[in-house]
């Protein structure tokens, strides 16, 4: 006999919400980072996760942030930043490997709904980066379509090879984050939004040990 699972919705009157749409990249950035602060300390609010919020978004959405992150199961952006339904556009690829479809998906929010913030989020001990690093260093292709990830990460590998660091895989992972953010920040469609101050593209790095998001560059002033 199966046990009955009872789910109780949070009453709309007491359900926390992130508040109105941020009016600038800085406001969106600060909201996101406050959420990460709650994640680190365990003081989670779980905002925007009630039936009322779901009904509100049924016909329209306007997320305030875009997060491009790795597929790693330990780094879910909605939890890492303590956000809720309708707050973020999220794209996840192995090692932050990008291509036209991924780039187009990242562009969607800023170009269609005025989303003011993009965060490129790498993370500590990335298995995809480690596998790509080993493959490129030894000249042994990865199986199947995994090789496409290694090929996409070659510029980060080459940059890491030029730098001195105690952990070349971590160096490569951070290089991939910065290179990806720089490419987005300077592409022909997003660069005008950045130059006008309507969009910020931030590169960041997540610690599996602490849960904290470290900003590498691009934080809006």
């Amino acid at each position: 006999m199966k046990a009955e699972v009872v789910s109780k919705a949070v009453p709309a009157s007491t359900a926390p919400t992130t508040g109105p749409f941020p009016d600038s990249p800085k406001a969106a950035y600060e909201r996101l980072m406050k959420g990460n602060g709650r994640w680190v300390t365990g003081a989670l609010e779980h905002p925007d996760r009630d039936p009322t919020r779901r009904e509100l978004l049924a016909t329209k959405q306007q997320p305030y942030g875009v997060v491009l992150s790795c597929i790693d199961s330990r780094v879910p952006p909605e939890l890492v930043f303590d956000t809720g339904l309708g707050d973020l556009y999220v794209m996840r690829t192995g090692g932050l490997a990008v291509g036209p479809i991924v780039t187009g998906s990242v562009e969607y929010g800023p170009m269609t709904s005025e989303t003011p913030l993009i965060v490129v989020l790498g993370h500590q001990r990335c298995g995809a980066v480690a596998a790509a690093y080993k493959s490129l260093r030894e000249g042994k292709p990865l199986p199947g379509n995994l090789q496409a990830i290694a090929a996409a990460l070659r510029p980060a590998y080459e940059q890491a090879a030029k730098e001195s660091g105690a952990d070349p895989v971590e160096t490569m992972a951070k290089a991939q984050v910065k290179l990806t953010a720089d490419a987005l920040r300077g592409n022909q469609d997003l660069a005008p939004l950045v130059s006008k101050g309507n969009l910020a593209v931030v590169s960041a790095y997540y610690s599996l040990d602490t849960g904290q998001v470290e900003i590498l560059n691009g934080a809006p002033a």
Side-chain angles (χ1 to χ4, degrees):
M1 180 177 180
K2 294 183 178 180
E4 182 179 359
V5 178
V6 179
S7 177
K8 294 183 178 180
V10 178
S13 60
T14 61
T17 179
T18 55
F21 188 82
D23 59 1
S24 68
K26 183 178 180 180
Y29 168 78
E30 290 177 347
R31 181 178 295 182
L32 208 61
M33 294 308 294
K34 285 180 180 177
N36 179 244
R38 295 192 299 271
W39 171 256
V40 171
T41 62
L44 300 172
E45 293 183 356
H46 305 295
D48 297 334
R49 299 183 188 182
D50 61 283
T52 299
R53 176 70 171 179
R54 184 190 68 228
E55 293 169 5
L56 179 66
L57 294 173
T59 58
K60 185 179 180 180
Q61 65 169 333
Q62 192 178 26
Y64 66 84
V66 176
V67 179
L68 171 60
S69 68
C70 182
I71 61 172
D72 196 290
S73 65
R74 299 164 293 179
V75 195
E78 294 90 343
L79 299 185
V80 167
F81 294 108
D82 193 27
T83 60
L85 192 65
D87 292 334
L88 300 176
Y89 289 111
V90 175
M91 278 64 64
R92 304 180 69 176
T93 69
L96 298 180
V98 296
I101 293 176
V102 175
T103 300
S105 298
V106 173
E107 292 174 343
Y108 181 82
M111 294 179 65
T112 67
S113 52
E114 300 180 345
T115 304
L117 179 68
I118 296 172
V119 176
V120 181
L121 183 65
H123 69 93
Q124 183 183 28
R125 304 189 193 101
C126 180
V129 173
Y133 177 84
K134 182 178 180 182
S135 170
L136 294 167
R137 183 187 62 184
E138 298 178 355
K140 297 179 180 179
L142 294 174
N145 288 308
L146 294 177
Q147 180 57 27
I149 296 177
L153 299 185
R154 179 175 286 279
Y157 170 79
E158 294 175 347
Q159 181 168 316
K162 297 176 183 178
E163 301 178 11
S164 59
D167 189 331
V169 174
E170 292 298 304
T171 301
M172 179 178 167
K174 289 186 176 181
Q176 176 63 11
V177 176
K178 292 179 181 178
L179 288 171
T180 302
D182 288 347
L184 290 170
R185 197 179 293 120
N187 86 16
Q188 63 179 4
D189 297 307
L190 298 179
L193 298 175
V194 174
S195 64
K196 292 177 183 177
N198 296 330
L199 175 68
V201 182
V202 178
S203 65
Y205 203 71
Y206 178 76
S207 169
L208 294 175
D209 294 332
T210 68
Q212 186 169 7
V213 172
E214 170 194 0
I215 303 304
L216 302 180
N217 64 29

